[in-house]
Amino acid sequence: MRATVIHGERDVRVEEVPDPVLLAGGSGRDAVVRVVAACVCGSDLWPYRGVQKTREPKRIGHEFIGVVEQVGDAVRDVAVGDAVIAPFYVCDGTCTNCVNGVSTSCLHGGWWGSQDREGGFADAGQGERVRVPLADGTLVVVPGVDLESTEGRALVPHLLTLSDVMGTGHHAAVSGGVGPGSTVAVVGDGAVGLCAVAAARRLGATRIVAMSRHPERQALARTLGATDVVPERGDEGVARLKEMFDGVGPDVVLECVGTKESMDQALRSARPGGQVGFVGVPAGGPELPVQTMFSTNVGVRGGVAPVRGYIEELLPEVLDGRLQPGVVFDLELPLDEVAEAYKAMDERRATKVLLRP
Amino acid sequence: MRATVIHGERDVRVEEVPDPVLLAGGSGRDAVVRVVAACVCGSDLWPYRGVQKTREPKRIGHEFIGVVEQVGDAVRDVAVGDAVIAPFYVCDGTCTNCVNGVSTSCLHGGWWGSQDREGGFADAGQGERVRVPLADGTLVVVPGVDLESTEGRALVPHLLTLSDVMGTGHHAAVSGGVGPGSTVAVVGDGAVGLCAVAAARRLGATRIVAMSRHPERQALARTLGATDVVPERGDEGVARLKEMFDGVGPDVVLECVGTKESMDQALRSARPGGQVGFVGVPAGGPELPVQTMFSTNVGVRGGVAPVRGYIEELLPEVLDGRLQPGVVFDLELPLDEVAEAYKAMDERRATKVLLRP
């Protein structure tokens, strides 16, 4: 089959790789999924840009939806022909951490594009097929949807966001403690930041400020629920937010970037006693200033989002159209043009690219 | 009157100072309180030990209870003769931050032993009398109690903890999100850590581990609600807690010390998706490791405790005897022996010292 392989800085290629098969002699808990749609994540740009070194050619991609083609003997909840969403990681759904709602810390889980714990290979997402370990724990079935029907095709972008960005934006909002009546600012206008806006609206925030300088993303943020837009950053951004919220700042700030500047912006913008919900993968720091947090009582909570559990929570609203996060995709390409997909995101010509194998 | 003045490292003295008076021409919102009991705080040991430099002689002490002797014209909720508890800071109770429950960030507040915003002096607590700015916002009346009756005298230690340590321990538990069924570990067996144990029990935690090596404090922790005691620290402490709680650690860890080691202990001990509630005044760091927090989803929340609001919440339970945090006092001295009070705490001969002017 064809799948994406990263060879080094700015070098991703679609190549012929072995077809995935169920693991013979394994636990029988794996499945093979034919990918209907995949996408490129902001974090895929790290190895693409050489920030993370690629020491040897490596399969890449961790967001996909598709149709089940084969299941192992022990798989119970997923059947051949089911439309499924995969979270950006593998989990069993039954260990202590999964039961505690932190399936990203699954004691038996793993990551796409690497060996699983039974000695098999969990293919990465940007390819034609994927061997899925722990299929019952990992996959969520989309009931009654044919992803290749006209109706199903229209749902694909929205469903695909549940694989990562929508669940991650939701995690920022949940970690920030957003609830009815909350005032919220969102730092970051990428796909995750935009989804965080949608999540905050869904959780009942009454004012949601998107911090963005890009006219298209400002418009998208308003579509998804932002009540205000603030283009200022740094000291000016902090001052603007304080001014807007009683001189003290919003209750919650959602940090959806991961840089030193964005975390600093978030910590300084939240009101005393407020909370920062963070999901931006920390790009090498900074460490958090504990003395500032102590004196302001601003809490910090978040991390790698346990989206597997959120898929089940958000799916009904995607299916009935109340939640349409797929608007974050502004480019669709065939898998063969994956190099252009990375290039477009790297050059900021696209917010998020959907790939069809 | 007599009051405590710190002159430098290991040099505290009771001296004759001016009697406090209501501020003529001020807003009329101040009061004068005769101190019935005060105490020495762990944080008072910082200037005492020279960790914080004392550049000129300075009044000291921020925990006291007493009886109102004079009130300004604009004072409404506090009357001459009332028994009152003062939190460890001054606040108006009406600004945005106070209304948000973060009275430690009061926009018009201040600290004991320093000038207030009307140009008056808020005396420190380790003295005979205190001028209290913003009396209605700052003081909490203890209804129907004569602090000098036999019954009242028995309540004094418990009431005095509401001035700081009990409210601070409670803030750790609230910030950590302790609720019914929570599993909790408390790092620190000083007065605040012991009060955090009591707070966790009160909030419904089902298992509470006191991390302590001192037999007397272990016993006190059990009296206050600890179900388990762990003497190990560092890697061994983390391993012990993981072993006790499903191999992953407790839901919540309360950090009640403020050192690099104690915060590290707390962050590493909480289970994935857990929370650290912290109230230990950070002793110069460390900054928090954001990458670890990201990968484990362990949140950190806390800071300088807004105890003013907690006094009202906890007072009824102190008055009816359900909550008896005054057991943390293990030495009582007259004000004139304040130097010995500091010395006993510095040398760890006492956990917390109660002073009677």
Side-chain angles (χ1 to χ4, degrees):
Chain A
M1 68 164 183
R2 290 169 309 137
T4 305
V5 177
I6 182 163
H7 285 258
E9 193 176 329
R10 290 188 167 75
D11 183 4
V12 290
R13 312 174 197 168
V14 172
E15 298 183 352
E16 198 63 31
V17 301
D19 277 328
V21 291
L22 297 179
L23 192 64
S27 65
R29 296 195 287 169
D30 52 352
V32 171
V33 170
R34 176 171 58 82
V35 176
V36 170
C39 51
V40 181
C41 182
S43 67
D44 290 333
L45 295 182
W46 288 22
Y48 182 79
R49 287 172 175 160
V51 179
Q52 279 176 1
K53 292 290 166 222
T54 300
R55 297 186 200 288
E56 52 185 25
K58 194 175 178 322
R59 300 271 281 282
I60 191 166
H62 54 256
E63 297 160 75
F64 64 97
I65 61 175
V67 176
V68 178
E69 286 197 332
Q70 301 175 52
V71 295
D73 294 342
V75 173
R76 296 285 168 270
D77 303 330
V78 175
V80 172
D82 281 347
V84 289
I85 302 170
F88 62 84
Y89 55 90
V90 169
C91 59
D92 68 6
T94 56
C95 78
T96 305
N97 288 331
C98 283
V99 169
N100 281 336
V102 203
S103 50
T104 37
S105 294
C106 176
L107 298 173
H108 311 109
W111 309 96
W112 302 117
S114 64
Q115 295 303 118
D116 81 350
R117 298 185 186 227
E118 297 187 51
F121 180 71
D123 298 79
Q126 293 159 9
E128 289 184 301
R129 282 178 178 72
V130 172
R131 176 180 165 273
V132 176
L134 304 170
D136 283 340
T138 303
L139 299 172
V140 179
V141 174
V142 184
V145 169
D146 173 357
L147 296 175
E148 277 137 329
S149 68
T150 308
E151 200 178 55
R153 284 184 69 88
L155 279 172
V156 160
H158 306 302
L159 294 172
L160 184 55
T161 64
L162 297 181
S163 184
D164 186 343
V165 288
M166 183 60 218
T168 295
H170 179 68
H171 188 56
V174 169
S175 300
V178 175
S182 295
T183 57
V184 179
V186 180
V187 178
D189 60 1
V192 170
L194 293 167
C195 287
V197 167
R201 176 172 67 171
R202 195 183 154 273
L203 290 166
T206 42
R207 277 187 81 184
I208 304 166
V209 183
M211 304 195 75
S212 172
R213 298 172 166 185
H214 304 80
E216 302 83 22
R217 298 188 185 190
Q218 290 176 348
L220 217 44
R222 289 200 185 267
T223 304
L224 289 164
T227 55
D228 301 85
V229 167
V230 165
E232 291 91 346
R233 291 185 188 176
D235 289 345
E236 290 177 8
V238 172
R240 186 84 187 85
L241 285 173
K242 291 213 179 300
E243 182 190 305
M244 290 172 73
F245 296 99
D246 301 320
V248 296
D251 300 326
V252 183
V253 182
L254 307 182
E255 194 291 307
C256 304
V257 182
T259 62
K260 175 171 165 52
E261 292 72 23
S262 61
M263 181 57 95
D264 179 66
Q265 178 85 72
L267 277 169
R268 291 167 59 206
S269 298
R271 69 162 173 80
Q275 179 99 345
V276 172
F278 81 110
V279 293
V281 185
E287 305 304 56
L288 301 178
V290 69
Q291 182 63 58
T292 304
M293 290 169 62
F294 183 84
S295 59
T296 60
N297 271 287
V298 171
V300 177
R301 183 172 174 85
V304 55
V307 300
R308 172 58 177 79
Y310 298 148
I311 298 174
E312 291 175 342
E313 183 177 349
L314 302 171
L315 181 57
E317 295 176 36
V318 167
L319 291 178
D320 70 16
R322 271 179 293 165
L323 190 61
Q324 303 200 317
V327 294
V328 299
F329 290 105
D330 48 6
L331 182 60
E332 181 173 326
L333 291 171
L335 178 62
D336 286 338
E337 292 179 37
V338 71
E340 166 57 16
Y342 276 76
K343 202 157 181 288
M345 281 182 62
D346 179 39
E347 294 169 1
R348 296 183 185 276
R349 284 182 282 117
T351 304
K352 195 155 179 80
V353 186
L354 188 147
L355 296 167
R356 289 197 186 255
Chain B
M1 69 164 182
R2 291 169 309 136
T4 305
V5 177
I6 182 163
H7 286 258
E9 193 176 328
R10 290 188 167 75
D11 183 5
V12 290
R13 311 175 198 168
V14 172
E15 298 183 352
E16 198 62 32
V17 300
D19 276 329
V21 291
L22 296 179
L23 192 63
S27 65
R29 296 195 287 169
D30 52 352
V32 171
V33 171
R34 176 171 57 83
V35 176
V36 171
C39 51
V40 182
C41 183
S43 68
D44 291 334
L45 295 182
W46 288 22
Y48 182 80
R49 288 173 175 160
V51 179
Q52 280 176 1
K53 292 288 166 224
T54 301
R55 297 186 199 290
E56 51 186 27
K58 193 177 179 322
R59 301 272 280 281
I60 191 166
H62 54 256
E63 298 159 75
F64 64 96
I65 62 175
V67 176
V68 177
E69 285 197 332
Q70 300 174 53
V71 295
D73 294 342
V75 173
R76 296 285 169 268
D77 302 330
V78 176
V80 171
D82 280 347
V84 289
I85 302 170
F88 62 84
Y89 55 91
V90 170
C91 58
D92 68 7
T94 56
C95 78
T96 305
N97 288 332
C98 282
V99 169
N100 282 336
V102 202
S103 50
T104 37
S105 295
C106 177
L107 298 173
H108 311 110
W111 308 96
W112 302 116
S114 64
Q115 294 302 118
D116 81 351
R117 297 185 186 228
E118 297 188 52
F121 181 71
D123 299 79
Q126 293 160 10
E128 288 184 302
R129 281 178 180 72
V130 172
R131 175 180 164 272
V132 176
L134 304 171
D136 283 340
T138 304
L139 299 172
V140 179
V141 175
V142 184
V145 170
D146 173 356
L147 296 175
E148 277 136 330
S149 68
T150 308
E151 202 177 52
R153 285 183 69 89
L155 279 172
V156 162
H158 306 302
L159 294 172
L160 184 54
T161 64
L162 298 182
S163 185
D164 186 344
V165 288
M166 183 61 218
T168 295
H170 180 68
H171 188 56
V174 169
S175 300
V178 175
S182 295
T183 57
V184 179
V186 180
V187 178
D189 61 1
V192 171
L194 293 167
C195 287
V197 167
R201 176 172 68 172
R202 196 184 153 273
L203 290 166
T206 42
R207 277 187 82 183
I208 304 166
V209 183
M211 303 194 75
S212 172
R213 297 173 168 184
H214 303 80
E216 301 83 23
R217 298 188 184 189
Q218 290 176 346
L220 218 44
R222 287 197 186 273
T223 304
L224 290 164
T227 55
D228 302 84
V229 167
V230 165
E232 291 91 345
R233 290 185 189 177
D235 289 345
E236 289 178 9
V238 172
R240 186 84 186 83
L241 285 172
K242 290 212 181 300
E243 182 189 306
M244 290 172 74
F245 295 98
D246 300 319
V248 296
D251 299 327
V252 183
V253 182
L254 307 181
E255 194 291 306
C256 303
V257 182
T259 61
K260 177 173 164 50
E261 291 72 23
S262 61
M263 181 57 94
D264 178 66
Q265 178 86 72
L267 278 169
R268 291 166 60 208
S269 298
R271 68 160 172 82
Q275 179 98 346
V276 172
F278 81 110
V279 293
V281 186
E287 305 304 56
L288 302 178
V290 69
Q291 181 63 60
T292 304
M293 290 168 63
F294 182 85
S295 60
T296 60
N297 271 287
V298 170
V300 177
R301 185 173 173 85
V304 54
V307 300
R308 172 59 177 79
Y310 298 147
I311 297 174
E312 292 176 340
E313 183 177 348
L314 301 172
L315 181 57
E317 296 176 34
V318 166
L319 292 178
D320 70 16
R322 271 177 294 166
L323 189 61
Q324 304 200 318
V327 294
V328 299
F329 289 104
D330 49 4
L331 182 61
E332 182 173 327
L333 292 171
L335 177 62
D336 287 337
E337 292 179 37
V338 71
E340 167 57 15
Y342 276 77
K343 201 158 183 286
M345 280 182 63
D346 179 39
E347 295 169 359
R348 297 183 184 275
R349 284 183 283 117
T351 304
K352 194 155 180 80
V353 186
L354 189 146
L355 296 167
R356 290 197 183 254

